[in-house]
Amino acid sequence: MSPVATDISARTTARTSAETLSEEDVALLRQDFPALAEIVNGEPLAYLDSGATAQRPRQVLGAERDFLIHSNAAVHRGAHTLAGLATEAYEDARATVADFVGAQADEIVWTSNATDALNLVAYGIANASHGRGGEPARRFALVAGDEIVVTEAEHHANLVPWQELAAVTGATLRYIPVDDNGVWDAAAAASVITSRTRVVAFAHVSNVTGFVAPVAEVVAVAHANGALVVLDACQSAPHRSLNLAELDVDFAAFSGHKMLGPTGIGVLYGRAELLNALPPFRTGGSMITTVTMEGADYLPAPQRFEAGTQPVSQAVALAEAVRYLQRVGLDRIEAREEELAERMLMGLAGIDGIRVVGQPLGSPRAGLVSFDVAGVHAHDVGQFLDAQGIAVRVGHHCAQPLHRRLGLTATTRASAYLYTTTGEVDRFIAAVAGVRPYFGVA
Amino acid sequence: MSDALAGLYQQVILDHSKQRTGFGELEHADAQRFERNPTCGDEITLQIDMEPGTDRIASLAWHGSGCSISQASASVLAGLAPGLTTVELHTTIDEFRTMMRSRGVGEPDEDLLGDAVVFQGVSKYVMRVKCAMLSWVALEGCLADVA
């Protein structure tokens, strides 16, 4: 065994169950996840694609079902009993999610997913740039010469909306470049953010490399230059304790389905002062105070962003997912995933022809690992693993510019969550070791 | 390892993905098409050159990057197409597309498809059908350009 491996096992045993999840803890909580008992291609499912979407516990499935059976109604309209119950559940869910990320309830806007949340901000700024929202919205207005800054590692959801915003306002989109490993640092950010910068948007945790961004440093530089900070928290909110007020970001987005919740529900966080000044992106019913044939006045945030019938049962189920995560403990989940990522990295390091993208072993990394297998396309790698019941993500992971910068078109990604066992990681490593021999390139 | 995987990755496919027939560029091309599979980033540029004064394909070349299925499919196609008329190729492409949509059911016409019948195993994998179709769609575009 290598010295590194000895260190890891020593550390794993040194952690108490208050600090991390033991195999016994994981075995117990797996009983809550019916999907994990599936047999795939004759083998027990090893689900290593939680970075794309997580499986859901019975508690979350049950909460949505119970709501639909006992309380289903449209919210914020109607006066009957179920309408009241539904509205209460919907707003309680908002308070639960707000508490989860260190926010106030009125700073949480329901969206259909994180992509939707990021578009809400980008199009709100576009509307402000076109004069909508009156005096309070002028702080957001962009003109030619203003700059929007993203990173070269962004998911397309946190890149394309900003490209569109630049195109419709005449602002310039600039980016923080990544290094040869696909990661960046605070110094690189500081060299791109200037007094012309009005918006800085970046992922808290990269969905490809697991890189954890230096949020505090970027926020300091951005705010010193008068720029707004938009945080893509899709890969952080499900996996680590998050306090958005402490991080001092201006906006943040995350999705329900990556954190044990349903699809069709996402969250936009915005500082209350900003949300109440940002013009709405979608308009219509339930977001107005007074409507005449000539115009309309809008409700305060968050309702001004929630036009139309809302995903109520999804919000209720997401709140149950949050309570589940809180019961297990986000710090324990983060510690456990860090151990699993190290186990993956060490295992892959022992296989010829594997190039892991991202920061080297020993640097902070969330619980996911993307890699290239020399001579074998990622789709073939994924197919080979799938035949053994191992589910991984293959492709560009909605981050084409990052892959292009790394000289790759596609990678294979394994991502862990609170229910991932070391046995699954070991099966994954053993299967990857068989890839190049099978395809005749080793 | 499941037997199903062997049905997908038949030896002919694995061989073609490494010894790629027609890989490269033509000095002269009557038509050229670029096709991309946006879900995986696979891409191919396919060229054809016609026998002068006929509707018969003289040569076909392709280059690009992709998974073993897409590479092997282009390689098999490059072995199949030269010498065939555009009408014959349309029939062949239709037969290939029917087979790829068959989910593994039925008997493909081996006289028409030759080595390409090995891709019937791929048709059971819905997620991989596009990989096999990529070069054939590019050829279909080229045929439209020379029509």
Side-chain angles (χ1 to χ4, degrees):
Chain A
M1 194 178 274
S2 72
V4 182
T6 312
D7 285 345
I8 300 294
S9 58
R11 205 171 90 195
T12 304
T13 50
R15 276 178 171 155
T16 67
S17 66
E19 294 164 338
T20 188
L21 295 169
S22 67
E23 286 304 298
E24 292 74 27
D25 295 330
V26 172
L28 264 179
L29 67 83
R30 281 175 72 87
Q31 295 176 9
D32 293 331
F33 292 82
L36 299 179
E38 286 294 301
I39 298 296
V40 172
N41 294 322
E43 303 281 349
L45 169 65
Y47 188 75
L48 298 175
D49 197 21
S50 295
T53 201
Q55 299 299 344
R56 300 176 210 169
R58 294 179 200 282
Q59 291 84 341
V60 169
L61 300 171
E64 187 161 11
R65 189 169 185 274
D66 285 350
F67 171 83
L68 290 169
I69 291 171
H70 300 295
S71 320
N72 186 41
V75 298
H76 289 303
R77 66 203 81 181
H80 56 76
T81 299
L82 289 191
L85 288 173
T87 302
E88 206 173 310
Y90 183 66
E91 292 305 327
D92 282 354
R94 194 192 308 273
T96 300
V97 170
D99 174 64
F100 180 65
V101 293
Q104 301 301 312
D106 61 0
E107 296 177 316
I108 296 296
V109 178
W110 298 123
T111 63
S112 51
N113 48 46
T115 300
D116 188 39
L118 293 164
N119 274 279
L120 191 161
V121 178
Y123 278 88
I125 294 174
N127 287 347
S129 305
H130 290 116
R132 299 299 299 157
E135 189 57 30
R138 282 183 60 180
R139 63 190 298 169
F140 297 111
L142 299 185
V143 295
D146 287 341
E147 293 180 353
I148 303 162
V149 171
V150 297
T151 83
E152 201 175 5
E154 292 313 302
H155 188 287
H156 298 162
N158 200 28
L159 170 59
V160 183
W162 305 116
Q163 291 174 340
E164 283 294 318
L165 178 61
V168 299
T169 59
T172 304
L173 184 71
R174 300 190 62 199
Y175 63 86
I176 299 162
V178 299
D179 65 17
D180 292 344
N181 290 321
V183 302
W184 53 279
D185 59 17
S191 69
V192 179
I193 298 167
T194 69
S195 59
R196 291 184 299 278
T197 308
R198 304 292 311 284
V199 178
V200 180
F202 62 99
H204 190 181
V205 171
S206 164
N207 70 312
V208 178
T209 62
F211 168 73
V212 183
V215 180
E217 287 93 328
V218 178
V219 167
V221 176
H223 284 173
N225 284 282
L228 294 168
V229 174
V230 181
L231 189 71
D232 170 359
C234 282
Q235 298 293 343
S236 57
H239 302 282
R240 52 183 56 218
S241 181
L242 195 59
N243 188 311
L244 295 170
E246 269 177 23
L247 286 176
D248 200 23
V249 297
D250 298 295
F251 294 100
F254 52 96
S255 279
H257 70 96
K258 292 188 198 294
M259 48 192 286
L260 314 183
T263 53
I265 186 84
V267 174
L268 173 70
Y269 159 84
R271 289 200 289 116
E273 166 209 9
L274 294 174
L275 282 183
N276 281 312
L278 188 71
F281 163 38
R282 263 186 296 271
T283 53
S286 297
M287 51 79 70
I288 47 79
T289 52
T290 310
V291 181
T292 65
M293 289 314 292
E294 287 70 43
D297 292 327
Y298 304 139
L299 283 163
Q303 272 76 27
R304 65 160 52 194
F305 300 106
E306 296 176 359
T309 301
Q310 293 294 299
V312 186
S313 68
Q314 292 91 328
V316 170
L318 176 56
E320 190 60 35
V322 161
R323 284 189 285 272
Y324 190 97
L325 291 170
Q326 287 173 325
R327 279 197 300 275
V328 176
L330 271 295
D331 291 340
R332 294 168 83 205
I333 293 170
E334 183 185 344
R336 168 72 179 180
E337 290 178 15
E338 192 184 306
E339 290 161 13
L340 293 172
E342 283 173 351
R343 197 176 184 95
M344 289 187 204
L345 286 170
M346 283 193 307
L348 292 173
I351 304 170
D352 284 342
I354 302 294
R355 171 190 170 196
V356 171
V357 302
Q359 58 283 32
L361 190 64
S363 309
R365 176 189 282 265
L368 61 89
V369 175
S370 300
F371 57 98
D372 176 58
V373 181
V376 185
H377 191 277
H379 267 208
D380 294 321
V381 176
Q383 196 85 56
F384 182 80
L385 300 187
D386 183 60
Q388 300 176 50
I390 302 165
V392 293
R393 172 83 185 266
V394 295
H396 48 61
H397 319 308
C398 299
Q400 283 183 10
L402 175 61
H403 278 80
R404 199 170 293 119
R405 171 65 178 80
L406 294 168
L408 301 166
T409 52
T411 52
T412 303
R413 181 185 72 187
S415 52
Y417 207 0
L418 72 171
Y419 42 61
T420 305
T421 67
T422 54
E424 287 175 321
V425 170
D426 294 346
R427 270 176 67 196
F428 156 74
I429 297 295
V432 172
V435 169
R436 295 181 81 232
Y438 181 84
F439 288 99
V441 294
Chain B
M1 191 65 51
S2 70
D3 294 338
L5 200 65
L8 176 68
Y9 293 117
Q10 298 200 27
Q11 198 56 46
V12 178
I13 292 179
L14 292 177
D15 291 346
H16 268 284
S17 73
K18 289 197 280 286
Q19 308 288 330
R20 297 175 292 188
T21 304
F23 192 86
E25 284 188 67
L26 298 177
E27 278 189 14
H28 173 268
D30 287 310
Q32 171 173 318
R33 278 290 177 117
F34 172 79
E35 287 291 337
R36 177 168 236 273
N37 183 345
T39 58
C40 59
D42 286 3
E43 50 189 50
I44 188 170
T45 300
L46 186 142
Q47 302 171 307
I48 57 170
D49 200 31
M50 308 301 289
E51 282 178 15
T54 73
D55 69 343
R56 198 171 289 280
I57 288 195
S59 45
L60 183 156
W62 62 278
H63 61 274
S65 62
C67 65
S68 60
I69 304 295
S70 74
Q71 301 286 287
S73 179
S75 174
V76 167
L77 180 61
L80 194 69
L84 296 181
T85 66
T86 56
V87 174
E88 288 165 340
L89 270 174
H90 274 302
T91 310
T92 307
I93 292 169
D94 288 347
E95 177 68 14
F96 187 76
R97 179 174 281 123
T98 302
M99 179 182 78
M100 293 315 299
R101 289 175 176 169
S102 72
R103 303 275 184 106
V105 177
E107 279 295 317
D109 186 341
E110 194 162 355
D111 293 337
L112 214 51
L113 293 178
D115 272 358
V117 293
V118 299
F119 291 93
Q120 189 180 25
V122 179
S123 74
K124 291 179 199 158
Y125 295 80
V126 188
M127 307 299 288
R128 305 303 296 275
V129 169
K130 275 190 174 176
C131 311
M133 284 304 303
L134 193 65
S135 53
W136 297 68
V137 169
L139 175 59
E140 217 170 24
C142 287
L143 295 180
D145 290 346
V146 297

